[in-house]
Amino acid sequence: SMLTPFLNAGMQLWTKGIADPQTIDKTWMLGTGSPIGPMAFYDIIGITTPYNIYKLQVEHGKQEDQAVLDKLKTDFIDQNKLGLSTGEGFYTYPNPAYQKPDFLKAPPADLSKVSIKKVVVAGSGVLGYQIAVQTAFHGFDVTVYDINDEVLNKAKGKFTALTDAYKHDLNATWQQLDATATRLSYSSDLADALNDADLLIEAVPETLAIKQDFWEKASAAAPAKTIFVSNSSTLLPSQLAPFTNRPEHFINLHFANHIHIRNTAEIMGHAATDPAVYEQIVEFAKAIGMMPIELHKEQSGYVLDSLLIPLLISGMGLWASDVADPATIDKTWMIATGALFGPMAILDKNGMNTNYNVVKAIPGELTQHIAEKMKTELIDKGKLGEVSGEGFYTYPNPAYEQNDFLK
Ligand code: NAD
């Protein structure tokens, strides 16, 4: 129930040409700490199995799977590339790339392709401030812009806690962190912040109206050379670029929370994005220590959420339909895939209000049933997940972190 929608999501990303197999797997492995991604999973299962499943579905009238079937046939079945059993599938065997030590290492940047020196990060909230610190840590001058000095002072107050994590997780030195602090400046005046900016990274709230207003003002204030980038989680570049005076210099660059350790940067242009801008942003992402996740086309939810949401919905569905309890659902996923967490633990980390909003927005009998049960059994009782000390698990020390959970 969980594996099929998850694997299908990976297959769709590949056959629609959104991302390469290795990129899909890297995103999953880095984003969730799993030892394996969906495309490597297909190799282990054997490509004949998904081929037969999609064939059956097409025969039963699911015409949209014909493209998947055709691609599996020409790229794999006809060439006897059936996965692990024949020595080649999405990877080659033995020693497939995904098991090599450097598979998840951020590659070095080609700095000859990066003309960016001064970066402005707009929005100093959860993600914006992390992006600013990560960028300054890697040697760029960064101005943090926000609506007023009070908000900016709040952001400055997060520097020590944030950089303590750099010391703990990355062994960063005092000298590196002092240098990071000196590269950061703060401004609540947009025109002043954008003076001479090469790159503007927008991390303002996820509301179309706020983003529209911001991009219109930034367009009026920024020099012609400034590349525009949005960290939006749900709005596509083609939705935001029309609010700017430079759609060809507009691109989405999406970071994950705890950016210094979950270092994926999903890069998504739109039809009008200049390929040279795309290429420069890929190199910039590497230059700030990120693993660039290159999307070849627009895709709502990028790669990570496209894989994660089907898994979370199937986990929630098993719970809401009383098929299995949360710990059983997670144990199954963790044992079967070697993952550190199951879907129910991830839901606790996301917070129940976010889960509710996501699932409620998806039409369908099951999703509406999940939303209803989540509201009455969890949200109305203040069980909001890790943040409130209780969700599907109790915190601190949730059961899935105990040594005997998988015994
Ligand atoms: P947040 O609410 O923590 O911070 C938003 C900041 O933007 C606040 O400091 C606010 O004062 C400021 N702001 C509001 N209007 C502004 C304006 N007109 N100009 C400049 N600043 C303005 O939000 P967040 O969680 O950091 O999210 C920001 C963006 O990052 C959103 O697009 C979100 O989808 C995306 N994102 C968030 C996460 C996450 O885990 N929080 C992960 C990936 C992407």
Short mmCIF file of all heavy atoms in Angstrom, two decimals, residues 122-131 145-148 151 155 158 190 202-207 210-211 213-214 217 230-235 254-258, ligand 1:
data_model
loop_
_atom_site.label_atom_id
_atom_site.label_comp_id
_atom_site.label_asym_id
_atom_site.label_seq_id
_atom_site.Cartn_x
_atom_site.Cartn_y
_atom_site.Cartn_z
N ALA A 122 15.68 38.06 0.73
CA ALA A 122 14.51 38.81 1.19
C ALA A 122 13.63 37.89 2.03
O ALA A 122 13.21 36.83 1.56
CB ALA A 122 13.72 39.34 0.00
N GLY A 123 13.36 38.32 3.27
CA GLY A 123 12.60 37.47 4.20
C GLY A 123 13.60 36.81 5.13
O GLY A 123 14.47 36.05 4.68
N SER A 124 13.52 37.13 6.42
CA SER A 124 14.52 36.59 7.37
C SER A 124 13.87 35.60 8.33
O SER A 124 14.26 35.47 9.47
CB SER A 124 15.15 37.73 8.15
OG SER A 124 14.15 38.40 8.91
N GLY A 125 12.83 34.90 7.85
CA GLY A 125 12.11 33.93 8.69
C GLY A 125 12.85 32.61 8.74
O GLY A 125 14.08 32.55 8.60
N VAL A 126 12.09 31.53 8.93
CA VAL A 126 12.67 30.19 9.12
C VAL A 126 13.69 29.88 8.01
O VAL A 126 14.85 29.58 8.28
CB VAL A 126 11.55 29.12 9.12
CG1 VAL A 126 12.14 27.72 9.21
CG2 VAL A 126 10.60 29.37 10.28
N LEU A 127 13.26 29.96 6.78
CA LEU A 127 14.15 29.55 5.69
C LEU A 127 15.08 30.66 5.25
O LEU A 127 16.26 30.43 5.01
CB LEU A 127 13.32 29.04 4.50
CG LEU A 127 13.44 27.54 4.26
CD1 LEU A 127 14.72 27.18 3.56
CD2 LEU A 127 13.36 26.77 5.57
N GLY A 128 14.57 31.89 5.15
CA GLY A 128 15.38 33.00 4.64
C GLY A 128 16.67 33.17 5.43
O GLY A 128 17.75 33.28 4.84
N TYR A 129 16.57 33.14 6.74
CA TYR A 129 17.78 33.37 7.54
C TYR A 129 18.77 32.22 7.37
O TYR A 129 19.98 32.43 7.31
CB TYR A 129 17.43 33.61 9.01
CG TYR A 129 18.59 34.27 9.73
CD1 TYR A 129 19.04 35.52 9.33
CD2 TYR A 129 19.26 33.62 10.75
CE1 TYR A 129 20.13 36.12 9.94
CE2 TYR A 129 20.35 34.21 11.38
CZ TYR A 129 20.78 35.46 10.96
OH TYR A 129 21.86 36.05 11.56
N GLN A 130 18.26 31.01 7.28
CA GLN A 130 19.16 29.86 7.05
C GLN A 130 19.88 30.00 5.70
O GLN A 130 21.07 29.72 5.59
CB GLN A 130 18.36 28.55 7.05
CG GLN A 130 17.79 28.17 8.41
CD GLN A 130 17.05 26.83 8.35
OE1 GLN A 130 17.36 25.94 7.57
NE2 GLN A 130 16.03 26.70 9.19
N ILE A 131 19.15 30.45 4.68
CA ILE A 131 19.76 30.62 3.35
C ILE A 131 20.86 31.69 3.42
O ILE A 131 21.95 31.53 2.88
CB ILE A 131 18.70 31.02 2.30
CG1 ILE A 131 17.64 29.92 2.15
CG2 ILE A 131 19.35 31.32 0.95
CD1 ILE A 131 16.38 30.37 1.38
N TYR A 145 17.25 41.26 3.87
CA TYR A 145 16.22 42.30 3.81
C TYR A 145 14.93 41.79 4.43
O TYR A 145 14.53 40.64 4.21
CB TYR A 145 15.97 42.71 2.34
CG TYR A 145 14.68 43.46 2.17
CD1 TYR A 145 14.56 44.79 2.58
CD2 TYR A 145 13.55 42.83 1.64
CE1 TYR A 145 13.36 45.47 2.48
CE2 TYR A 145 12.34 43.51 1.52
CZ TYR A 145 12.26 44.82 1.95
OH TYR A 145 11.07 45.47 1.85
N ASP A 146 14.28 42.62 5.26
CA ASP A 146 12.94 42.26 5.77
C ASP A 146 12.15 43.55 5.98
O ASP A 146 12.69 44.66 5.81
CB ASP A 146 13.04 41.42 7.06
CG ASP A 146 11.86 40.45 7.18
OD1 ASP A 146 10.69 40.90 7.05
OD2 ASP A 146 12.08 39.25 7.39
N ILE A 147 10.89 43.40 6.36
CA ILE A 147 9.99 44.57 6.35
C ILE A 147 10.32 45.66 7.37
O ILE A 147 10.03 46.81 7.14
CB ILE A 147 8.51 44.15 6.53
CG1 ILE A 147 8.39 43.05 7.60
CG2 ILE A 147 7.92 43.66 5.22
CD1 ILE A 147 6.98 42.67 7.93
N ASN A 148 10.92 45.30 8.50
CA ASN A 148 11.32 46.35 9.45
C ASN A 148 12.49 45.89 10.33
O ASN A 148 12.85 44.70 10.33
CB ASN A 148 10.13 46.83 10.29
CG ASN A 148 9.51 45.69 11.08
OD1 ASN A 148 10.22 44.89 11.69
ND2 ASN A 148 8.18 45.59 11.05
N VAL A 151 11.95 42.99 13.01
CA VAL A 151 12.03 41.61 12.48
C VAL A 151 13.49 41.25 12.21
O VAL A 151 13.93 40.13 12.50
CB VAL A 151 11.21 41.47 11.17
CG1 VAL A 151 11.14 40.02 10.73
CG2 VAL A 151 9.81 42.02 11.33
N ALA A 155 15.93 38.18 13.66
CA ALA A 155 16.74 37.27 12.84
C ALA A 155 18.18 37.24 13.35
O ALA A 155 18.75 36.16 13.56
CB ALA A 155 16.69 37.70 11.37
N LYS A 158 19.10 34.95 15.99
CA LYS A 158 19.14 33.50 15.74
C LYS A 158 20.54 33.03 15.33
O LYS A 158 20.77 31.83 15.17
CB LYS A 158 18.15 33.13 14.62
CG LYS A 158 16.69 33.38 14.97
CD LYS A 158 15.76 32.79 13.91
CE LYS A 158 15.73 33.60 12.64
NZ LYS A 158 14.71 33.21 11.67
N LEU A 190 14.51 48.33 0.74
CA LEU A 190 14.70 47.42 -0.40
C LEU A 190 15.69 47.96 -1.42
O LEU A 190 16.58 47.24 -1.89
CB LEU A 190 13.34 47.10 -1.06
CG LEU A 190 13.36 46.04 -2.15
CD1 LEU A 190 13.91 44.70 -1.65
CD2 LEU A 190 11.95 45.79 -2.71
N GLU A 202 14.35 35.22 -2.85
CA GLU A 202 13.14 35.62 -2.13
C GLU A 202 12.63 34.46 -1.26
O GLU A 202 12.43 33.35 -1.75
CB GLU A 202 12.07 36.05 -3.16
CG GLU A 202 10.68 36.23 -2.62
CD GLU A 202 9.84 34.98 -2.79
OE1 GLU A 202 9.73 34.47 -3.92
OE2 GLU A 202 9.29 34.51 -1.76
N ALA A 203 12.45 34.76 0.05
CA ALA A 203 11.89 33.76 0.99
C ALA A 203 10.83 34.47 1.84
O ALA A 203 10.88 34.42 3.07
CB ALA A 203 12.98 33.14 1.84
N VAL A 204 9.91 35.16 1.19
CA VAL A 204 8.81 35.84 1.90
C VAL A 204 7.65 34.85 2.01
O VAL A 204 7.68 33.78 1.40
CB VAL A 204 8.40 37.17 1.20
CG1 VAL A 204 9.62 38.06 0.97
CG2 VAL A 204 7.67 36.94 -0.10
N PRO A 205 6.62 35.14 2.82
CA PRO A 205 5.58 34.13 3.07
C PRO A 205 4.92 33.58 1.79
O PRO A 205 4.83 34.26 0.78
CB PRO A 205 4.56 34.89 3.93
CG PRO A 205 5.37 35.92 4.63
CD PRO A 205 6.40 36.36 3.63
N GLU A 206 4.45 32.33 1.94
CA GLU A 206 3.93 31.56 0.81
C GLU A 206 2.50 32.00 0.44
O GLU A 206 1.57 31.21 0.51
CB GLU A 206 3.99 30.07 1.16
CG GLU A 206 3.74 29.11 0.03
CD GLU A 206 4.85 29.08 -1.01
OE1 GLU A 206 5.90 29.70 -0.82
OE2 GLU A 206 4.62 28.44 -2.05
N THR A 207 2.36 33.26 0.07
CA THR A 207 1.05 33.78 -0.31
C THR A 207 1.23 34.50 -1.64
O THR A 207 2.14 35.33 -1.76
CB THR A 207 0.57 34.82 0.73
OG1 THR A 207 0.69 34.25 2.00
CG2 THR A 207 -0.84 35.26 0.48
N ILE A 210 1.38 38.38 -1.44
CA ILE A 210 2.62 38.94 -0.84
C ILE A 210 3.76 38.80 -1.83
O ILE A 210 4.55 39.73 -2.05
CB ILE A 210 2.97 38.21 0.49
CG1 ILE A 210 1.91 38.51 1.55
CG2 ILE A 210 4.35 38.65 0.99
CD1 ILE A 210 2.14 37.84 2.89
N LYS A 211 3.84 37.64 -2.47
CA LYS A 211 4.94 37.42 -3.42
C LYS A 211 4.79 38.37 -4.63
O LYS A 211 5.78 38.93 -5.08
CB LYS A 211 5.00 35.95 -3.86
CG LYS A 211 5.36 35.00 -2.70
CD LYS A 211 6.23 33.86 -3.16
CE LYS A 211 6.35 32.75 -2.14
NZ LYS A 211 7.56 32.81 -1.31
N ASP A 213 3.38 41.35 -4.75
CA ASP A 213 3.74 42.69 -4.30
C ASP A 213 5.27 42.81 -4.17
O ASP A 213 5.88 43.78 -4.63
CB ASP A 213 3.05 42.96 -2.96
CG ASP A 213 3.37 44.35 -2.44
OD1 ASP A 213 3.04 45.31 -3.17
OD2 ASP A 213 3.97 44.47 -1.35
N PHE A 214 5.87 41.79 -3.59
CA PHE A 214 7.32 41.83 -3.40
C PHE A 214 8.03 41.90 -4.75
O PHE A 214 8.92 42.73 -4.95
CB PHE A 214 7.82 40.60 -2.61
CG PHE A 214 9.31 40.57 -2.58
CD1 PHE A 214 10.01 41.38 -1.69
CD2 PHE A 214 10.04 39.80 -3.49
CE1 PHE A 214 11.40 41.42 -1.70
CE2 PHE A 214 11.43 39.84 -3.50
CZ PHE A 214 12.11 40.64 -2.60
N LYS A 217 7.81 45.25 -6.56
CA LYS A 217 8.68 46.27 -5.95
C LYS A 217 10.16 45.97 -6.24
O LYS A 217 10.94 46.87 -6.53
CB LYS A 217 8.45 46.33 -4.43
CG LYS A 217 7.10 46.98 -4.12
CD LYS A 217 6.88 47.14 -2.63
CE LYS A 217 5.56 47.88 -2.40
NZ LYS A 217 4.80 47.31 -1.31
N SER A 230 13.27 32.45 -6.47
CA SER A 230 12.28 32.27 -5.40
C SER A 230 12.47 30.93 -4.72
O SER A 230 12.74 29.92 -5.38
CB SER A 230 10.86 32.36 -5.96
OG SER A 230 9.94 32.09 -4.90
N ASN A 231 12.27 30.93 -3.40
CA ASN A 231 12.33 29.70 -2.60
C ASN A 231 10.93 29.12 -2.39
O ASN A 231 10.71 28.27 -1.53
CB ASN A 231 12.99 30.03 -1.25
CG ASN A 231 13.14 28.82 -0.35
OD1 ASN A 231 13.61 27.78 -0.79
ND2 ASN A 231 12.73 28.94 0.89
N SER A 232 9.98 29.57 -3.20
CA SER A 232 8.59 29.13 -3.01
C SER A 232 8.46 27.61 -3.03
O SER A 232 9.06 26.93 -3.85
CB SER A 232 7.71 29.71 -4.12
OG SER A 232 6.41 29.18 -4.00
N SER A 233 7.62 27.08 -2.12
CA SER A 233 7.42 25.63 -2.06
C SER A 233 6.33 25.18 -3.01
O SER A 233 6.33 24.03 -3.45
CB SER A 233 7.02 25.21 -0.64
OG SER A 233 8.02 25.55 0.26
N THR A 234 5.36 26.05 -3.30
CA THR A 234 4.20 25.59 -4.07
C THR A 234 3.94 26.40 -5.34
O THR A 234 3.21 25.94 -6.21
CB THR A 234 2.91 25.66 -3.21
OG1 THR A 234 2.72 27.00 -2.81
CG2 THR A 234 3.01 24.77 -1.98
N LEU A 235 4.51 27.60 -5.45
CA LEU A 235 4.23 28.42 -6.63
C LEU A 235 5.31 28.19 -7.69
O LEU A 235 6.51 28.22 -7.37
CB LEU A 235 4.16 29.90 -6.25
CG LEU A 235 3.04 30.22 -5.26
CD1 LEU A 235 3.26 31.56 -4.56
CD2 LEU A 235 1.69 30.22 -5.98
N HIS A 254 14.86 25.92 -4.45
CA HIS A 254 14.09 25.51 -3.26
C HIS A 254 14.96 24.75 -2.28
O HIS A 254 15.51 23.69 -2.62
CB HIS A 254 12.91 24.63 -3.72
CG HIS A 254 11.97 24.26 -2.62
ND1 HIS A 254 11.80 22.97 -2.21
CD2 HIS A 254 11.16 25.02 -1.85
CE1 HIS A 254 10.91 22.95 -1.23
NE2 HIS A 254 10.50 24.17 -0.99
N PHE A 255 15.07 25.31 -1.09
CA PHE A 255 15.90 24.68 -0.05
C PHE A 255 15.00 23.93 0.93
O PHE A 255 13.80 24.19 1.00
CB PHE A 255 16.69 25.75 0.70
CG PHE A 255 17.64 26.53 -0.16
CD1 PHE A 255 17.26 27.73 -0.74
CD2 PHE A 255 18.92 26.06 -0.40
CE1 PHE A 255 18.14 28.46 -1.54
CE2 PHE A 255 19.80 26.77 -1.20
CZ PHE A 255 19.41 27.98 -1.76
N ALA A 256 15.62 23.06 1.73
CA ALA A 256 14.87 22.35 2.76
C ALA A 256 15.20 22.95 4.13
O ALA A 256 16.27 23.55 4.30
CB ALA A 256 15.24 20.87 2.75
N ASN A 257 14.31 22.79 5.08
CA ASN A 257 14.57 23.24 6.45
C ASN A 257 15.81 22.50 6.98
O ASN A 257 16.00 21.34 6.65
CB ASN A 257 13.34 22.97 7.31
CG ASN A 257 13.37 23.78 8.59
OD1 ASN A 257 14.23 24.65 8.79
ND2 ASN A 257 12.44 23.52 9.47
N HIS A 258 16.62 23.17 7.81
CA HIS A 258 17.92 22.66 8.28
C HIS A 258 18.86 22.48 7.09
O HIS A 258 19.45 21.44 6.87
CB HIS A 258 17.78 21.33 9.05
CG HIS A 258 16.79 21.41 10.17
ND1 HIS A 258 16.92 22.31 11.21
CD2 HIS A 258 15.64 20.76 10.42
CE1 HIS A 258 15.91 22.18 12.04
NE2 HIS A 258 15.10 21.26 11.57
P1 NAD B 1 8.46 32.73 7.60
O1 NAD B 1 7.08 33.13 7.86
O2 NAD B 1 9.25 32.05 8.67
O3 NAD B 1 9.30 34.01 7.15
C1 NAD B 1 8.85 34.94 6.21
C2 NAD B 1 9.63 36.24 6.40
O4 NAD B 1 9.28 37.10 5.34
C3 NAD B 1 9.29 36.94 7.71
O5 NAD B 1 10.50 37.34 8.35
C4 NAD B 1 8.51 38.17 7.25
O6 NAD B 1 8.69 39.31 8.08
C5 NAD B 1 9.10 38.41 5.89
N1 NAD B 1 8.28 39.18 4.97
C6 NAD B 1 6.94 39.29 4.89
N2 NAD B 1 6.59 40.13 3.89
C7 NAD B 1 7.75 40.54 3.33
C8 NAD B 1 8.06 41.41 2.27
N3 NAD B 1 7.12 42.01 1.56
N4 NAD B 1 9.36 41.63 2.00
C9 NAD B 1 10.34 41.02 2.70
N5 NAD B 1 10.10 40.18 3.71
C10 NAD B 1 8.82 39.95 4.01
O7 NAD B 1 8.41 31.82 6.30
P2 NAD B 1 9.39 30.65 5.84
O8 NAD B 1 8.96 29.37 6.46
O9 NAD B 1 10.79 31.10 5.97
O10 NAD B 1 8.99 30.55 4.32
C11 NAD B 1 9.46 31.49 3.37
C12 NAD B 1 9.42 30.84 2.00
O11 NAD B 1 10.26 29.69 2.01
C13 NAD B 1 8.05 30.37 1.56
O12 NAD B 1 7.91 30.59 0.18
C14 NAD B 1 8.08 28.88 1.87
O13 NAD B 1 7.22 28.14 1.05
C15 NAD B 1 9.52 28.57 1.58
N6 NAD B 1 10.02 27.34 2.23
C16 NAD B 1 9.82 27.14 3.57
C17 NAD B 1 10.28 25.96 4.17
C18 NAD B 1 10.08 25.70 5.65
O14 NAD B 1 10.36 24.56 6.10
N7 NAD B 1 9.69 26.67 6.46
C19 NAD B 1 10.97 25.01 3.38
C20 NAD B 1 11.19 25.29 2.03
C21 NAD B 1 10.71 26.45 1.47
#
